[in-house]
Amino acid sequence: MKNIWIIANWKSNKNIAEALDWISKVGPNLPKRENFKVVVCPSFSALSEVKKAITVGNFPLIVGAQDLSPLGAGAYTGEESAELLKELIDLAILGHSERRQNFGETDEMLAKKVAQANAYSIIPVVCVQSSDTPVPEGCKLIAYEPIFAIGTGNPDTPENANQVAGVLKEKHGPAPAGLEVLYGGSVTSENAKAFIFQSNINGLLIGKASLDAEEFIKICKVMELI
Ligand code: 13P
């Protein structure tokens, strides 16, 4: 049975109180199955409290970060290194197009971040904008996020996303444990099912619709239909 990943990317949203409110609503309402992997990626400022709340509640939620440093621990003011984040997270979203656009992130930086993540057993989720985007060595989880679909309410079609996911798998996989491809861009509880049911798609990376606890729970319940 294929893994189904549902990843909430909160981006630069939610203070600690808002984050904990979301965890208390979503945590107890998640479908529990070995192949369901539900991940929440808060801002760095909320990571520690979110991790604590999930542990105390014993919720089936994985904690991720939205980025990490291309460098190790040390004299790098302002950076969040994989070595230090490892206590809090099991996964990191890397190479998001918003980081490329707003913070000048390059393919070289992305490759270093992936290497750092892997060195500390953090799963890198590498975002690509098309099947032509370079993918660094050591990636087993790729998120296809076309720029026209991010935050626009204009998702790609499930059929096209499936076709791109297939090309990505041919080009970059299969890794020893298999390459998995997610879709992201204007996913909602209305369209989630159509994406998850595509044969090459292993899950969803969700921005805006993940912020609302009720909406996110609805999306997670779609996993039970598979
Ligand atoms: P939206 O779901 O808000 O379109 O954002 C997608 C995204 O960028 C997830 O990483």
Side-chain angles (χ1 to χ4, degrees):
M1 194 179 284
K2 72 174 180 177
N3 280 335
I4 307 287
W5 296 84
I6 305 283
I7 305 183
N9 176 8
W10 286 354
K11 308 192 178 183
S12 236
N13 292 293
K14 289 199 190 292
N15 60 29
I16 292 172
E18 290 163 343
L20 294 181
D21 180 61
W22 187 98
I23 298 292
S24 71
K25 288 177 176 149
V26 171
N29 282 299
L30 291 173
K32 285 187 187 137
R33 236 162 59 184
E34 189 57 29
N35 63 321
F36 293 166
K37 314 273 183 198
V38 183
V39 186
V40 59
C41 299
S43 59
F44 287 121
S45 55
L47 267 183
S48 175
E49 290 296 323
V50 163
K51 173 76 178 175
K52 221 184 292 172
I54 290 170
T55 307
V56 170
N58 195 23
F59 298 135
L61 263 168
I62 297 165
V63 183
Q66 299 170 21
D67 188 27
L68 52 72
S69 176
L71 304 171
Y76 305 112
T77 302
E79 284 299 280
E80 298 281 355
S81 72
E83 186 176 346
L84 301 182
L85 285 168
K86 177 59 197 151
E87 291 186 86
L88 298 172
I89 63 167
D90 290 302
L91 175 151
I93 299 168
L94 299 177
H96 195 284
S97 58
E98 287 159 6
R99 297 216 55 84
R100 291 180 185 269
Q101 277 163 10
N102 301 310
F103 305 100
E105 190 155 306
T106 61
D107 294 336
E108 290 70 29
M109 283 159 76
L110 173 59
K112 287 185 182 168
K113 290 179 182 197
V114 169
Q116 281 291 316
N118 281 328
Y120 291 95
S121 304
I122 294 167
I123 301 167
V125 180
V126 170
C127 299
V128 301
Q129 293 73 53
S130 75
S131 54
D132 294 330
T133 309
V135 173
E137 287 291 300
C139 297
K140 295 196 184 103
L141 204 44
I142 294 177
Y144 164 56
E145 294 208 317
I147 290 179
F148 67 80
I150 296 179
T152 58
N154 175 33
D156 201 344
T157 62
E159 294 73 22
N160 192 58
N162 190 49
Q163 196 264 335
V164 174
V167 174
L168 286 166
K169 284 183 175 182
E170 257 171 47
K171 257 175 122 169
H172 306 292
L179 176 75
E180 297 181 304
V181 179
L182 316 181
Y183 169 74
S186 297
V187 171
T188 64
S189 60
E190 300 284 305
N191 61 27
K193 184 174 163 202
F195 287 104
I196 286 182
F197 272 61
Q198 300 295 323
S199 57
N200 293 318
I201 295 180
N202 302 91
L204 304 166
L205 179 52
I206 306 163
K208 190 159 175 270
S210 77
L211 294 173
D212 182 75
E214 308 306 324
E215 171 73 352
F216 189 72
I217 291 166
K218 268 196 217 164
I219 294 172
C220 289
K221 301 258 184 216
V222 169
M223 295 193 295
E224 290 181 304
L225 302 173
I226 284 205

